[in-house]
Amino acid sequence: MDKNSSNIMALAPNTSNKRETVCIFGTGDFGRALGHKMIQSGYPVVFGSRSTQISSLIPKGAEVLSHTEAAQKAAIIIIAIQRQHYNFLMPLTEILHGKVLVDVSNNLKINEHPESNAEYLAQLVPGAKVVKAFNTVSAWALQSGTLDASRQVFVCGDDMEAKQMVMNIVRALGLTPLDQGSLLAAQEIENYPLRLFPMWKFPVLLSFGLASFFFFYCLIRNVIYPYVYENKDFSFFIAISIPNRICPILALILLALVYLPGVLAAIIQLYRGTKYHRFPDWLDKWMLCRKQLGLVALAFASLHVLYTLVIPIRYFVRWRTSSQIISQVLNNKTEPLDTTNAWLSDSYVALGILGFFLFVLLGITSLPSVSNNVNWREFRFVQSKLGYLTLILCTAHTLVYGGKRFLSPSSYRWYLPNAYMLSLIIPCMVLIVKFVLIFPCLDKPLTRIRQGWERNPQYSE
């Protein structure tokens, strides 16, 4: 009776300024870092360990006791050990009854065990209140003051009061707790640190596939074709010229792919006459990774800028320029200024500069630190209105670059068009469909559908 009543008192909300004692089982890197952070936050900390000898690694101000003695001094016990060592808790079942056990463990691979570590812990100590937390925060993040890493801590558990106590500790440490529900969510929380850029997989694989295709495409047109028909060795194009063709092509295509799913979603909603039907899974996944597609596109655009800046110092360009100058001197003939080509060249460069400027602006506003400081209308204006303007400028940049080459037979080598011609297919398609969708006859019903109107409502009043 005394033991249970003491547990209830320990679980009661703390109304005084003095924080409750926290016990940590485990003196490894994470346990010591967490203990040090808690001491800094004003928590009395006691470590439960097999060896009660004080080590220089233990944070100053912390007490080291046996597992039994440490567990008796606190109502909240953080289990900072691996799952395979949980068996030592079984003899402590009676002492741990009614106490809050915080499982912070992770696995080596996704879904390594049938049940989560937290659920396994709850089975070993059925009388305890198990809460999953802190597994997404590293010891290094705690030591660096949580300023250089994620501040979010996922928390789940079946007991609301115990979960709230843990979330209060999280807040006291300067972190942000995110309630994920019951202990059933522990499996997903434990898998989270093991996922390697899950939202980047599709953009990266798509970029790799497109880059490989256009690399071999440009290799055939710009290296193999001249070697076969003109016996000229342009293999050095592989270093700069071909990458400087591939990067803007991928940047434009990926930018168009950012806005293509929105156009497809609008067409589907107009066709169905409702917004209450789920989109196909492939479209849902596509829309979720639009931010990553845009950032990869920005990376290729930045590479294009860097490659372009080094063009004047290339040996091939300097050799070609000097050859043209010498040819004019020997022929005593100076080519007159072609104002048409000058306008096209300056327009091409100006469109590229403006497009890249807006491209960078889109990338900056997608950062959480920036997007969190703007309201929804401002964010939508930048990402949608300015986003389409960016796509228009970049597409125009490519069209002006092409100029009359679209109709020139010499541009088609082995009946293959220039690579930048292929890059215009998706952007032009997106812009044309978007232009059609802004007509009032389509825009008004689409707006009504997105506001909840249905063409054929399933239930009538």
Side-chain angles (χ1 to χ4, degrees), residues 207-453:
S207 302
F208 179 78
L210 289 174
S212 300
F213 169 78
F214 281 108
F215 173 79
F216 289 108
Y217 190 90
C218 293
L219 187 69
I220 292 172
R221 291 191 77 261
N222 301 109
V223 177
I224 297 178
Y225 181 89
Y227 184 78
V228 171
Y229 284 93
E230 302 172 8
N231 198 26
K232 294 181 179 180
D233 182 12
F234 289 144
S235 58
F236 58 89
F237 279 3
I238 295 176
I240 292 180
S241 296
I242 290 180
N244 199 29
R245 291 175 183 267
I246 295 174
C247 288
I249 289 173
L250 291 185
L252 182 58
I253 292 177
L254 292 176
L255 180 62
L257 291 178
V258 171
Y259 295 96
L260 180 57
V263 171
L264 296 177
I267 295 174
I268 292 174
Q269 288 179 333
L270 283 171
Y271 174 76
R272 293 174 173 175
T274 179
K275 70 171 185 177
Y276 296 109
H277 290 171
R278 286 184 59 85
F279 292 123
D281 289 340
W282 58 269
L283 185 57
D284 272 337
K285 295 178 181 178
W286 188 353
M287 295 182 75
L288 288 174
C289 67
R290 286 182 294 178
K291 173 183 175 180
Q292 288 74 17
L293 278 171
L295 291 176
V296 173
L298 176 59
F300 281 112
S302 302
L303 282 175
H304 172 51
V305 172
L306 293 177
Y307 275 120
T308 303
L309 291 176
V310 303
I311 285 179
I313 64 174
R314 293 179 60 198
Y315 173 78
F316 172 71
V317 174
R318 289 187 284 113
W319 170 83
R320 186 174 59 184
T321 302
S322 61
S323 297
Q324 292 174 350
I325 294 173
I326 294 173
S327 176
Q328 292 182 26
V329 171
L330 293 177
N331 295 328
N332 196 23
K333 181 180 179 182
T334 302
E335 294 184 4
L337 175 65
D338 188 339
T339 55
T340 301
N341 287 333
W343 263 108
L344 288 174
S345 175
D346 285 2
S347 299
Y348 155 73
V349 174
L351 289 169
I353 293 174
L354 293 175
F356 183 69
F357 170 76
L358 292 180
F359 218 145
V360 173
L361 183 62
L362 292 176
I364 293 175
T365 53
S366 67
L367 298 175
S369 58
V370 178
S371 60
N372 291 338
N373 291 315
V374 297
N375 60 37
W376 170 244
R377 186 176 182 182
E378 294 168 343
F379 181 79
R380 189 176 177 214
F381 171 78
V382 173
Q383 294 295 327
S384 181
K385 300 296 190 298
L386 293 186
Y388 274 106
L389 179 59
T390 304
L391 184 59
I392 291 172
L393 291 174
C394 293
T395 303
H397 172 69
T398 307
L399 285 170
V400 173
Y401 172 78
K404 300 178 181 180
R405 301 180 191 179
F406 291 102
L407 302 178
S408 175
S410 60
S411 297
Y412 297 84
R413 299 178 177 179
W414 280 331
Y415 303 100
L416 299 176
N418 209 310
Y420 68 84
M421 297 183 187
L422 300 180
S423 70
L424 289 168
I425 297 175
I426 297 179
C428 290
M429 181 177 64
V430 172
L431 292 175
I432 291 173
V433 176
K434 182 63 178 179
F435 178 75
V436 173
L437 287 175
I438 64 175
F439 287 173
C441 59
L442 295 176
D443 183 61
K444 288 183 177 179
L446 180 60
T447 302
R448 292 180 63 193
I449 289 171
R450 289 176 173 174
Q451 291 176 346
W453 176 81

